[in-house]
Amino acid sequence: MRMGLTIGLNHNILESQVIDPVERQHRIQIWWTIYIFDRMWGSKMGLPMQILDEDIHVDMPSTISPRWRHEEELSDSDYMTANIKLARIVGETITKLYSRRKYQETFLQRVQKILKALKHWVETLPESLRLNMEDLESSKKPIVSLHMSFNQCVILTTRPTLLHLLMTLSKKSKSRSNTTNNTGGAGTESESEEVSVSQPVLTLSEACIHAARHSHSMILTRWINGSMPTFGYFHAHYLFSSALILAMSSFVPIGSPTDMTGFDSALDLLRSMTENGNLDAAEFYHNLEQVKVCLAAYRDLRRDEGSADVTAGGVAPNTNANASGNARSGAGALALSRPSSDVATATTPFLNALPLNPPTSTPASVSTSIPPASLISTTHDILASATTHPVHSHGIDAYTYPSRDTVSGYTTEMAFLEPTMQDFLAQSDIDLGLLHPVDTFFNEAENLYTCHEF
C-alpha cells in the first residue's frame, strides 16, 4: 500500500503518459487489488484502514477493446468491481461498528446505512456473478467465494446485535434463577415485569443467523463435492465465523437448538482440514475447541437450573411466530416474561447430542426464502429424541449434510427479504435516533467486542 501511494497508483494518469490501454488498465487493477487486500485483511486482523476512500482518485476497472485481449491479459472487470464495492463496505463496517471512534449517529443508524449498502450491492450484482442455487457447483469458484464474502459482511454488521440479544437473555435467565433460589422457588413481583427486546434487535439477529446458515451450507456442499480448497484460508475462516453464530443461535428463541449440529459439523470439518495440513484451519479448530469446552461447562452449570427456569419463567412464547422462528408480536418486540416449558427449554443451551438424521428437506408449501434449517421438528420432539438416542461423538459421515434441495432453499439476499428487515431499512433517522439499549450495551462493554474479526 505504501509503495502504491508513493508511485501514485491511487491517481489517474494522463493517457499521453501511458498509451497502451492494457498497461493503463493493468495499473488500475493493481491499485484496486491492493485496496481489496487492505480492507479485507485489515478486517481479519483487526487493523485500521491505511487509506481513506476520499483520497482515492483512480477510475474503477473497465473492459477494454477488443474484448479478447482483455480476457487474455486482465481480470474480469465486473468481478473486480463487485469485490471493490464489497471491500469498501467492509471498511465502513469496521470503522463505524468496531472501532472506538465516537459518532453522533446511534448504533442502529450506522447499522442501517451499512445494510442499505449491502442490499444495494446484491440487488445491482451483474447476472454473470449471481449464484445458481439449483446447482451450486455450476457456479465458478470465485463467484461462490464472493457470495460467502458478502455473507460475512452481513455477519460482521449484525453479529454485535445477536451478541447483545444473547447476553440480554442470559442476564434475564441468571436473574430469574437467583430470584428462584432466594425465594425457595416462589416468584416475586419484580420477576413478573417484562423485559422487552425490540424488533430491530430481533430483525438484525435473524439476518445474522440466516447469513451464517447460508455460508455453512455452501461450505459443506463444496466439501461433499470435493471442490473446497484444502489449504485455503477464507473457507476455514467463514466456517469458523458461521459456527460461532450457529452456536449463539442455539441459545436464542429466534434461532434453533439444532443449529448446534451445524457447530459440531463445522468443528469436525475444521478438524479434517487440520489433519490435511491447513494451518489456518488448525488455529480456528483450536479456538472452536475452546468454545466447545466453555459451552459444555455452561451446560453443566445450567443443568440444574433448567427445571427452575421452566417453573420461574423465561422467554414468553410468541403466538405469531412463523415457521422460520421470526418474531411477529403485535408490539414489535419479544417479551421476556413467564414462558411455557417448551419455549423456556428452547432458550436453554442445547449442547447434548442431537439426532443423527435431522430433517433437511424443505416442504413444497413453504417459501424458499425461509431457511430449511429452521423447518424442523418442535423443540420438545428434538429434545426428546436427543434424550432417547444420545450420541456423544460424531465423525464427518455421521451428519446429514445439505442436499442440493436444501442449499437451493437459501439465497444471498435472504437476509433482506423478511418484512421486518424491509421495515427496519425503511425507518427514518428520527425513528432510529433515540438511545437504544444496544447503544448502552456497547458503551458499557467497549473492551468486550473489539475490532478484531474473531
Side-chain angles (χ1 to χ4, degrees):
M1 172 64 78
R2 289 296 179 187
M3 185 177 295
L5 293 174
T6 300
I7 63 178
L9 288 181
N10 58 318
H11 294 275
N12 285 320
I13 58 175
L14 297 176
E15 187 174 349
S16 58
Q17 291 183 269
V18 180
I19 300 177
D20 184 12
V22 172
E23 188 175 344
R24 288 177 58 84
Q25 196 60 219
H26 182 62
R27 177 187 173 96
I28 291 173
Q29 291 196 355
I30 287 178
W31 165 257
W32 286 118
T33 300
I34 295 171
Y35 175 88
I36 292 170
F37 285 166
D38 177 60
R39 280 351 189 222
M40 291 298 184
W41 287 107
S43 70
K44 305 297 182 288
M45 302 172 67
L47 300 176
M49 309 302 109
Q50 296 188 69
I51 185 172
L52 299 176
D53 290 329
E54 293 80 3
D55 296 325
I56 300 174
H57 308 285
V58 66
D59 294 336
M60 295 290 282
S62 59
T63 302
I64 66 171
S65 297
R67 190 176 184 87
W68 63 265
R69 191 179 180 195
H70 183 104
E71 293 175 351
E72 279 188 355
E73 302 189 45
L74 298 167
S75 300
D76 178 58
S77 56
D78 287 341
Y79 176 76
M80 197 161 195
T81 299
N83 268 295
I84 294 168
K85 292 179 178 179
L86 202 56
R88 183 174 293 154
I89 298 174
V90 169
E92 292 179 359
T93 302
I94 298 302
T95 300
K96 294 183 178 180
L97 302 185
Y98 288 84
S99 71
R100 299 188 181 185
R101 296 183 186 178
K102 303 301 180 182
Y103 290 92
Q104 295 297 324
E105 299 171 309
T106 65
F107 179 80
L108 291 182
Q109 286 176 332
R110 299 192 302 258
V111 168
Q112 184 195 55
K113 290 184 177 180
I114 294 172
L115 288 177
K116 283 183 177 180
L118 288 169
K119 183 174 183 289
H120 182 263
W121 183 92
V122 74
E123 289 177 344
T124 58
L125 200 63
E127 190 63 33
S128 60
L129 298 181
R130 295 186 180 275
L131 280 178
N132 180 359
M133 298 309 300
E134 296 299 326
D135 186 3
L136 188 65
E137 290 308 311
S138 68
S139 302
K140 296 179 181 179
K141 293 180 181 179
I143 295 178
V144 177
S145 297
L146 178 67
H147 285 256
M148 286 194 288
S149 181
F150 170 83
N151 285 338
Q152 185 62 23
C153 290
V154 175
I155 290 174
L156 275 176
T157 306
T158 56
R159 185 174 60 187
T161 313
L162 178 60
L163 178 64
H164 168 68
L165 173 62
L166 178 63
M167 295 186 69
T168 299
L169 296 176
S170 298
K171 289 178 181 178
K172 174 65 178 177
S173 177
K174 182 178 180 180
S175 174
R176 190 171 59 244
S177 177
N178 292 338
T179 302
T180 302
N181 293 335
N182 294 335
T183 59
T188 65
E189 292 185 2
S190 61
E191 180 188 0
S192 63
E193 296 179 0
E194 291 188 354
V195 178
S196 294
V197 176
S198 69
Q199 186 59 56
V201 171
L202 298 177
T203 298
L204 298 177
S205 299
E206 282 179 326
C208 188
I209 295 171
H210 287 176
R213 287 171 176 167
H214 188 201
S215 287
H216 184 268
S217 68
M218 285 194 291
I219 293 173
L220 293 188
T221 299
R222 298 196 72 179
W223 175 265
I224 295 169
N225 295 333
S227 59
M228 192 174 78
T230 302
F231 303 104
Y233 167 82
F234 285 101
H235 279 69
H237 171 256
Y238 296 148
L239 186 62
F240 169 77
S241 180
S242 62
L244 290 180
I245 300 304
L246 294 178
M248 287 193 278
S249 174
S250 67
F251 286 74
V252 296
I254 60 171
S256 168
T258 57
D259 279 330
M260 189 55 70
T261 306
F263 176 89
D264 289 333
S265 62
L267 190 65
D268 280 347
L269 204 160
L270 285 172
R271 175 180 54 79
S272 180
M273 295 174 68
T274 300
E275 293 173 351
N276 288 333
N278 189 315
L279 299 180
D280 300 304
E283 181 69 18
F284 290 130
Y285 174 72
H286 172 73
N287 287 330
L288 280 191
E289 277 282 283
Q290 299 304 312
V291 172
K292 187 174 183 178
V293 170
C294 294
L295 294 180
Y298 188 63
R299 174 200 60 195
D300 294 338
L301 181 65
R302 293 296 307 277
R303 182 176 295 161
D304 295 334
E305 299 176 3
S307 58
D309 286 346
V310 172
T311 303
V315 178
N318 190 341
T319 57
N320 295 323
N322 64 13
S324 66
N326 299 330
R328 298 286 184 270
S329 62
L334 180 70
L336 310 184
S337 61
R338 306 178 68 84
S340 67
S341 59
D342 283 347
V343 179
T345 305
T347 59
T348 301
F350 181 64
L351 302 176
N352 294 320
L354 293 168
L356 286 180
N357 297 303
T360 58
S361 60
T362 306
S365 60
V366 180
S367 169
T368 56
S369 65
I370 299 175
S374 64
L375 302 179
I376 54 175
S377 304
T378 62
T379 302
H380 177 78
D381 294 337
I382 294 170
L383 291 173
S385 176
T387 303
T388 56
H389 304 285
V391 180
H392 299 289
S393 178
H394 298 300
I396 285 288
D397 296 335
Y399 294 98
T400 300
Y401 285 98
S403 63
R404 177 178 297 182
D405 292 338
T406 301
V407 176
S408 65
Y410 292 91
T411 60
T412 303
E413 63 272 15
M414 178 189 295
F416 302 98
L417 295 178
E418 293 292 338
T420 52
M421 174 60 76
Q422 296 176 15
D423 292 342
F424 173 75
L425 296 179
Q427 292 186 53
S428 66
D429 287 346
I430 297 177
D431 295 330
L432 296 175
L434 298 178
L435 185 64
H436 192 273
V438 72
D439 293 278
T440 306
F441 166 73
F442 284 104
N443 290 336
E444 295 175 348
E446 185 175 359
N447 296 323
L448 175 64
Y449 216 72
T450 68
C451 62
H452 289 275
E453 170 59 15
F454 172 76

